[in-house]
């Protein structure tokens, strides 16, 4: 099952440049939360703070609290945290020297699982959940790079799901894909929220409207507004949200 997230007074910097300013936000379990806003507003930094990938960048730091089901993420080992909070990036990134099968089970092997039956079962389950099994089950030993862009992105989602996270972060997972592949990813996200909490960064306003239960609008490193998606799009409380959604800037 998914876990809830509580963000309190989150500030983040790259060197001297402050990219997030006092973010306070509740993210409900087993819902899709969309993060929208113009380029450079802090969306990607925000999701990278949730699984502490921001910490790995030279000169980057963050302060404040992020709680996962009430427990601080900073109390967890970062590697352990990233098993619980998975990440899917904008550009599909299968491991190039690995087969489709080895891509999916890479995280499990890293965690010390060697039992072939367990690995095989986990691979099939994850590929089924990522709606990819029917397309690849006859060629699991082919390179992950042999797949189309949309298939590669679903392979990366399967890889993230294999270690059984409770939260899935997605940083513009469909921006490099064609409309058909984008639709497959969106259908998949709606299916996955039964079992996972999903936070998706998107530039695509229609996508947020289609798949998100709640939407947060970021601007210049600040959270301007967060609420049910229908309210944010149809009846925003802040004029800046309205201006962005109606295309006056961004």
């Amino acid at each position: 099952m998914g876990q809830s997230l509580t963000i309190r007074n989150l500030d983040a910097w790259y060197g001297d440049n402050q990219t997030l300013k006092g973010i306070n936000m509740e993210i409900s379990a087993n819902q899709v939360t969309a993060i929208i806003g113009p380029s450079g507003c802090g969306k990607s930094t925000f999701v990278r703070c949730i699984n502490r990938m921001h910490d790995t960048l030279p000169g980057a730091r963050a302060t404040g609290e992020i709680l996962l089901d009430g427990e601080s993420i900073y109390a967890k080992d970062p590697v352990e945290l990233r098993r619980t909070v998975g990440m899917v990036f904008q550009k599909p990134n299968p491991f190039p020297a690995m087969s489709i099968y080895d891509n999916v089970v890479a995280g499990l092997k890293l965690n010390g699982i060697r039992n072939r039956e367990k690995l095989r079962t986990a691979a099939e389950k994850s590929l089924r959940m990522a709606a990819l099994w029917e397309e690849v089950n006859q060629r699991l030993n082919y390179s992950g790079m042999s797949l189309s862009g949309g298939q590669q992105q679903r392979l990366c989602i399967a890889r993230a799901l294999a270690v059984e996270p409770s939260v899935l972060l997605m940083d513009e997972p469909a921006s490099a894909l064609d409309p058909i592949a984008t639709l497959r990813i969106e259908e998949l996200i709606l299916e996955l929220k039964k079992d996972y909490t999903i936070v998706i960064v998107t530039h695509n306003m229609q996508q947020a409207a289609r798949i998100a239960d709640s939407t947060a609008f970021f601007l210049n490193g600040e959270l301007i507004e967060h609420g049910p998606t229908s309210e944010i799009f149809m009846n925003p409380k802040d004029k800046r949200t309205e201006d962005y959604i109606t295309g006056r800037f961004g």
Side-chain angles (χ1 to χ4, degrees):
M1 285 296 286
Q3 291 181 284
S4 64
L5 287 157
T6 301
I7 292 91
R8 293 183 186 145
N9 303 317
L10 178 64
D11 294 308
W13 291 263
Y14 291 105
D16 295 330
N17 180 30
Q18 188 169 0
T19 50
L20 291 176
K21 302 165 187 171
I23 307 296
N24 288 283
M25 189 173 166
E26 298 283 342
I27 294 175
S28 299
N30 296 98
Q31 288 199 349
V32 178
T33 299
I35 312 294
I36 64 169
S39 294
C41 70
K43 303 186 298 294
S44 292
T45 301
F46 176 70
V47 291
R48 284 163 188 259
C49 284
I50 294 173
N51 76 344
R52 295 186 58 186
M53 280 194 69
H54 182 70
D55 302 8
T56 64
L57 299 168
R61 62 192 176 93
T63 61
E65 272 190 309
I66 300 176
L67 307 176
L68 187 61
D69 265 5
E71 185 183 351
S72 172
I73 65 166
Y74 297 105
K76 296 175 181 284
D77 173 74
V79 175
E80 185 65 40
L81 173 69
R82 288 177 203 127
R83 286 180 202 144
T84 309
V85 183
M87 183 96 173
V88 176
F89 296 93
Q90 181 173 0
K91 193 170 183 294
N93 60 342
F95 300 131
M98 289 188 187
S99 67
I100 293 167
Y101 174 84
D102 284 331
N103 259 282
V104 178
V105 300
L108 295 170
K109 286 183 172 178
L110 203 62
N111 294 346
I113 295 171
R114 292 287 177 267
N115 181 297
R116 283 187 180 178
E117 187 56 32
K118 269 189 181 171
L119 291 171
R120 194 198 64 74
T121 302
E124 179 175 342
K125 180 185 174 187
S126 303
L127 286 164
R128 284 189 184 279
M129 289 181 78
L132 194 57
W133 175 254
E134 300 301 332
E135 294 165 48
V136 303
N137 64 46
Q138 298 301 312
R139 47 188 181 131
L140 292 175
N141 61 341
Y142 284 41
S143 164
M145 304 305 288
S146 68
L147 300 174
S148 71
Q151 289 173 324
Q152 286 185 22
Q153 192 62 295
R154 281 182 282 143
L155 177 62
C156 293
I157 292 170
R159 186 173 70 198
L161 296 177
V163 294
E164 300 187 331
S166 60
V167 177
L168 199 54
L169 308 173
M170 297 181 152
D171 193 354
E172 302 205 42
S175 67
L177 305 180
D178 64 64
I180 304 275
T182 296
L183 182 64
R184 295 297 302 273
I185 297 289
E186 289 181 6
E187 289 170 345
L188 178 55
I189 288 168
L190 291 171
E191 188 64 29
L192 290 175
K193 77 172 182 178
K194 295 175 194 162
D195 298 300
Y196 304 91
T197 302
I198 297 174
V199 183
I200 177 170
V201 171
T202 181
H203 264 110
N204 184 328
M205 227 74 77
Q206 291 78 18
Q207 184 172 75
R210 283 192 297 265
I211 65 172
D213 299 289
S214 73
T215 296
F217 171 55
F218 280 56
L219 183 65
N220 298 329
E222 295 179 27
L223 172 60
I224 305 301
E225 193 167 346
H226 176 219
T229 297
S230 55
E231 278 184 28
I232 295 291
F233 280 86
M234 305 302 290
N235 190 25
K237 294 183 173 69
D238 193 291
K239 177 130 184 4
R240 292 167 293 180
T241 312
E242 183 183 346
D243 286 350
Y244 180 70
I245 284 166
T246 54
R248 292 197 185 102
F249 74 93

